[in-house]
Short mmCIF file of all heavy atoms in Angstrom, two decimals:
data_model
loop_
_atom_site.label_atom_id
_atom_site.label_comp_id
_atom_site.label_asym_id
_atom_site.label_seq_id
_atom_site.Cartn_x
_atom_site.Cartn_y
_atom_site.Cartn_z
N TYR L 274 -48.57 41.52 -20.25
CA TYR L 274 -48.21 40.61 -21.32
C TYR L 274 -48.46 39.16 -20.93
O TYR L 274 -48.27 38.78 -19.76
CB TYR L 274 -46.75 40.79 -21.71
CG TYR L 274 -46.49 42.01 -22.55
CD1 TYR L 274 -46.39 43.27 -21.97
CD2 TYR L 274 -46.36 41.91 -23.94
CE1 TYR L 274 -46.18 44.42 -22.74
CE2 TYR L 274 -46.14 43.05 -24.73
CZ TYR L 274 -46.08 44.28 -24.13
OH TYR L 274 -45.86 45.40 -24.91
N VAL L 275 -48.81 38.34 -21.92
CA VAL L 275 -49.06 36.92 -21.70
C VAL L 275 -47.74 36.18 -21.64
O VAL L 275 -46.86 36.37 -22.48
CB VAL L 275 -49.95 36.35 -22.82
CG1 VAL L 275 -50.20 34.85 -22.58
CG2 VAL L 275 -51.26 37.12 -22.88
N ASP L 276 -47.61 35.33 -20.65
CA ASP L 276 -46.38 34.55 -20.46
C ASP L 276 -46.66 33.07 -20.69
O ASP L 276 -47.81 32.61 -20.51
CB ASP L 276 -45.85 34.76 -19.03
CG ASP L 276 -44.48 34.14 -18.81
OD1 ASP L 276 -43.78 33.89 -19.80
OD2 ASP L 276 -44.11 33.94 -17.65
N ASN L 277 -45.63 32.35 -21.09
CA ASN L 277 -45.62 30.89 -21.03
C ASN L 277 -46.51 30.20 -22.06
O ASN L 277 -46.76 28.99 -21.92
CB ASN L 277 -46.01 30.41 -19.62
CG ASN L 277 -45.08 29.33 -19.12
OD1 ASN L 277 -44.04 29.07 -19.70
ND2 ASN L 277 -45.46 28.72 -18.01
N VAL L 278 -46.96 30.89 -23.06
CA VAL L 278 -47.69 30.18 -24.13
C VAL L 278 -46.73 29.33 -24.93
O VAL L 278 -47.02 28.16 -25.26
CB VAL L 278 -48.40 31.19 -25.06
CG1 VAL L 278 -49.03 30.47 -26.26
CG2 VAL L 278 -49.46 31.94 -24.29
N ASN L 279 -45.56 29.88 -25.22
CA ASN L 279 -44.52 29.14 -25.92
C ASN L 279 -43.26 29.03 -25.09
O ASN L 279 -42.17 28.85 -25.60
CB ASN L 279 -44.17 29.85 -27.24
CG ASN L 279 -45.37 29.99 -28.14
OD1 ASN L 279 -45.91 28.99 -28.64
ND2 ASN L 279 -45.80 31.23 -28.36
N GLY L 280 -43.40 29.13 -23.78
CA GLY L 280 -42.27 29.15 -22.88
C GLY L 280 -42.15 30.54 -22.24
O GLY L 280 -42.81 31.50 -22.62
N ARG L 281 -41.29 30.64 -21.23
CA ARG L 281 -41.10 31.90 -20.54
C ARG L 281 -40.67 33.00 -21.51
O ARG L 281 -39.82 32.78 -22.36
CB ARG L 281 -40.05 31.75 -19.46
CG ARG L 281 -40.46 30.93 -18.24
CD ARG L 281 -41.54 31.61 -17.43
NE ARG L 281 -41.74 30.96 -16.14
CZ ARG L 281 -42.77 31.25 -15.35
NH1 ARG L 281 -43.64 32.16 -15.67
NH2 ARG L 281 -42.92 30.62 -14.19
N VAL L 282 -41.24 34.20 -21.32
CA VAL L 282 -40.87 35.30 -22.19
C VAL L 282 -39.76 36.16 -21.58
O VAL L 282 -39.23 37.06 -22.22
CB VAL L 282 -42.09 36.18 -22.55
CG1 VAL L 282 -43.15 35.36 -23.26
CG2 VAL L 282 -42.67 36.87 -21.32
N LEU L 283 -39.44 35.91 -20.33
CA LEU L 283 -38.31 36.54 -19.64
C LEU L 283 -37.65 35.51 -18.76
O LEU L 283 -38.28 34.57 -18.30
CB LEU L 283 -38.77 37.73 -18.80
CG LEU L 283 -38.93 39.10 -19.46
CD1 LEU L 283 -39.50 40.10 -18.46
CD2 LEU L 283 -37.62 39.62 -20.02
N GLY L 284 -36.39 35.75 -18.47
CA GLY L 284 -35.64 34.87 -17.56
C GLY L 284 -35.22 35.60 -16.29
O GLY L 284 -35.81 36.57 -15.89
N ASN L 285 -34.12 35.11 -15.71
CA ASN L 285 -33.52 35.77 -14.55
C ASN L 285 -34.54 35.99 -13.43
O ASN L 285 -34.80 37.10 -13.00
CB ASN L 285 -32.87 37.09 -14.94
CG ASN L 285 -31.84 36.91 -16.05
OD1 ASN L 285 -30.81 36.34 -15.84
ND2 ASN L 285 -32.17 37.39 -17.23
N GLU L 286 -35.13 34.87 -12.98
CA GLU L 286 -36.22 34.95 -12.02
C GLU L 286 -35.70 35.21 -10.60
O GLU L 286 -34.68 34.67 -10.19
CB GLU L 286 -37.01 33.63 -12.04
CG GLU L 286 -38.18 33.60 -11.06
CD GLU L 286 -38.98 32.31 -11.17
OE1 GLU L 286 -38.66 31.49 -12.04
OE2 GLU L 286 -39.91 32.14 -10.37
N TYR L 287 -36.46 36.02 -9.87
CA TYR L 287 -36.20 36.29 -8.48
C TYR L 287 -37.53 36.27 -7.75
O TYR L 287 -38.44 37.02 -8.08
CB TYR L 287 -35.49 37.64 -8.31
CG TYR L 287 -35.50 38.20 -6.89
CD1 TYR L 287 -34.85 37.52 -5.86
CD2 TYR L 287 -36.12 39.40 -6.62
CE1 TYR L 287 -34.84 38.04 -4.57
CE2 TYR L 287 -36.12 39.94 -5.33
CZ TYR L 287 -35.47 39.24 -4.31
OH TYR L 287 -35.45 39.75 -3.03
N ASP L 288 -37.68 35.39 -6.76
CA ASP L 288 -38.94 35.24 -6.03
C ASP L 288 -38.80 35.83 -4.64
O ASP L 288 -37.78 35.62 -3.96
CB ASP L 288 -39.33 33.77 -5.92
CG ASP L 288 -39.61 33.14 -7.30
OD1 ASP L 288 -39.73 33.88 -8.27
OD2 ASP L 288 -39.70 31.90 -7.37
N ASN L 289 -39.87 36.53 -4.21
CA ASN L 289 -39.88 37.10 -2.87
C ASN L 289 -41.34 37.30 -2.45
O ASN L 289 -42.13 37.90 -3.19
CB ASN L 289 -39.13 38.44 -2.85
CG ASN L 289 -38.85 38.93 -1.45
OD1 ASN L 289 -39.72 38.88 -0.60
ND2 ASN L 289 -37.63 39.41 -1.23
N SER L 290 -41.65 36.75 -1.29
CA SER L 290 -43.05 36.83 -0.84
C SER L 290 -43.49 38.26 -0.57
O SER L 290 -44.70 38.54 -0.49
CB SER L 290 -43.24 35.99 0.42
OG SER L 290 -42.39 36.46 1.48
#
Side-chain angles (χ1 to χ4, degrees):
Y274 283 81
V275 179
D276 189 19
N277 226 11
V278 174
N279 301 294
R281 289 291 191 191
V282 301
L283 275 175
N285 305 291
E286 181 177 356
Y287 164 63
D288 296 348
N289 192 316
S290 61

